[in-house]
Amino acid sequence: MSKYIVGLTGGIGSGKTTVADEFSRLGITLVDADVIARDVVKPGTDCLKAIVKQFGEQMLLPDQTLDRVQLRTAIFSDPDKKQWLNALMHPAIREQMLKQLEEAESAYCFLVAPLLFENQLEKYVHSSVVVDVPEQVQVSRTTSRDDVSTEQVKNIIKAQISRSDRLAKADVVINNDMPWAEVKPKIEQLHAKYMALSKKKT
Ligand code: ATP
């Protein structure tokens, strides 16, 4: 098990994946909360079976995967159903996340979670890194990457923790509002720091 766990977060389009991929290239294991949240409802899982039992076969797409849009619609205006779903999903996600963190073998590892602070996942990490860019950069990078409108991105930003609260909770901030060639050496420095910290822990 990695001796040191670092939480990596940031708002939509801030550059979490880009930063995480760089650490991965340096040999560091990434545990990705979003990937796990998708994995626990894959066909054949207990979670997907429970969802179909509760909400019906219409929750399945023709290829038998979860119809996320249908599910979102079903829970949208029904707090009880939303609570039921959270009570099902959260323990399954937590269990899988802890298992993967336990299995991580690099000197230290990352828990990559867009909602690290919103979902109180910081209790599982020794330290947190926030990837930060101003809101207009989040909007411009996300709209040029995905087929989404400025308004959709702004709504997602509004639903996430505020930039100032996120920064206040961060142990380390990576300013990603600069060319990648300038960010990369900072990541290498941070890697050296976490390698040293993880050695101290052993
Ligand atoms: P999401 O929250 O939507 O999953 P994210 O935080 O993982 O996004 P990325 O996908 O890593 O963000 O980055 C968003 C976009 O910005 C990508 O197209 C990426 O290539 C680009 N990008 C990341 N860092 C930089 C940078 N320093 N300079 C220019 N473009 C960048």
Side-chain angles (χ1 to χ4, degrees), residues 23-140:
F23 282 104
S24 172
R25 261 190 289 279
L26 294 166
I28 297 307
T29 301
L30 309 176
V31 175
D32 189 318
D34 273 1
V35 172
I36 293 171
R38 284 194 294 271
D39 282 352
V40 298
V41 288
K42 272 191 174 159
T45 56
D46 290 344
C47 276
L48 186 57
K49 285 178 195 157
I51 289 168
V52 171
K53 201 167 166 209
Q54 179 78 6
F55 295 99
E57 293 280 335
Q58 69 268 27
M59 288 298 138
L60 293 177
L61 291 165
D63 67 357
Q64 301 301 297
T65 58
L66 177 63
D67 187 337
R68 285 162 196 285
V69 178
Q70 282 283 351
L71 183 61
R72 225 175 295 135
T73 310
I75 64 165
F76 182 67
S77 52
D78 191 329
D80 286 346
K81 283 184 181 161
K82 190 172 177 187
Q83 204 182 351
W84 178 89
L85 187 68
N86 285 342
L88 173 78
M89 296 280 290
H90 287 178
I93 294 171
R94 189 172 57 238
E95 187 189 328
Q96 187 56 26
M97 209 176 69
L98 293 176
K99 181 172 174 276
Q100 289 189 17
L101 288 171
E102 191 121 333
E103 285 169 0
E105 283 182 351
S106 51
Y108 69 95
C109 69
F110 271 101
L111 173 61
V112 184
L115 303 179
L116 185 80
F117 299 129
E118 290 89 334
N119 287 347
Q120 286 89 42
L121 300 177
E122 73 260 47
K123 58 178 175 274
Y124 300 116
V125 304
H126 296 102
S127 179
S128 64
V129 172
V130 164
V131 185
D132 180 62
V133 294
E135 187 176 314
Q136 69 269 25
V137 177
Q138 286 183 270
V139 172
S140 67

Side-chain angles (χ1 to χ4, degrees), residues 159-177:
Q160 296 181 335
I161 190 173
S162 73
R163 185 180 179 199
S164 56
D165 285 351
R166 188 188 287 115
L167 289 173
K169 284 172 177 279
D171 292 312
V172 169
V173 176
I174 296 178
N175 175 7
N176 193 27
D177 184 21

Side-chain angles (χ1 to χ4, degrees), residues 11-19 141-142 145 176 178-180 183:
I12 179 170
S14 57
K16 293 175 296 295
T17 311
T18 312
V19 167
R141 286 189 186 162
T142 308
R145 184 195 59 189
N176 193 27
M178 52 176 95
W180 183 246
V183 181

